[in-house]
Amino acid sequence: MKKIEAIIKPFKLDDVRAALSEVGIAGMTVSEVKGFGRQRGHTELYRGAEYMVDFLPKVKLEIVVADDDVDRCVEAIIETAQTGKIGDGKIFVSGVERVIRIRTGEENEDAI
């Protein structure tokens, strides 16, 4: 099993969720986060004064999937979240040793 963490632009969330649903992903965790990468924030003007916005709003998706589903999920996220502009985000894939569904006690792929 693998955990896919994707950090994307907030306005892309609905499109990514729909694309993941089409490839068979039924559940995910979504968090509102702030951060920056190479874009290093930007400057804005407020009441005539310019100030630096260091942390930009992003959305973080967390999905645990079977090993066979990883490539389809990653491709779906890339195809729908990509704008071609700086700040599109990142995808991290890492291993998951064990999953337990609290309600039933099911484990691993049965618990996904």
Side-chain angles (χ1 to χ4, degrees):
M1 294 175 295
K2 302 286 186 204
K3 180 178 184 180
I4 301 171
E5 294 179 79
I7 299 172
I8 62 172
K9 292 182 176 184
F11 68 89
K12 287 292 192 173
L13 176 60
D14 289 336
D15 295 338
V16 171
R17 185 194 51 77
L20 288 170
S21 185
E22 285 180 21
V23 296
I25 301 304
M28 67 184 71
T29 301
V30 177
S31 307
E32 292 181 8
V33 297
K34 291 184 179 190
F36 68 92
R38 288 185 181 160
Q39 67 196 105
R40 291 193 172 83
H42 64 281
T43 58
E44 289 189 3
L45 203 58
Y46 179 72
R47 294 188 176 183
E50 190 173 299
Y51 67 100
M52 185 70 176
V53 178
D54 291 333
F55 295 100
L56 301 173
K58 302 287 183 179
V59 172
K60 180 179 178 181
L61 305 174
E62 296 176 89
I63 310 156
V64 176
V65 298
D67 291 341
D68 297 341
D69 297 330
V70 172
D71 290 336
R72 282 197 316 260
C73 290
V74 168
E75 288 171 19
I77 294 168
I78 291 171
E79 287 175 10
T80 53
Q82 189 176 56
T83 66
K85 297 179 181 169
I86 195 163
D88 276 351
K90 298 242 183 338
I91 299 173
F92 305 95
V93 179
S94 55
V96 173
E97 291 183 28
R98 189 175 177 196
V99 176
I100 303 159
R101 178 173 284 141
I102 295 172
R103 179 178 54 88
T104 62
E106 294 171 297
E107 292 198 26
N108 299 325
E109 291 187 6
D110 292 335
I112 296 178

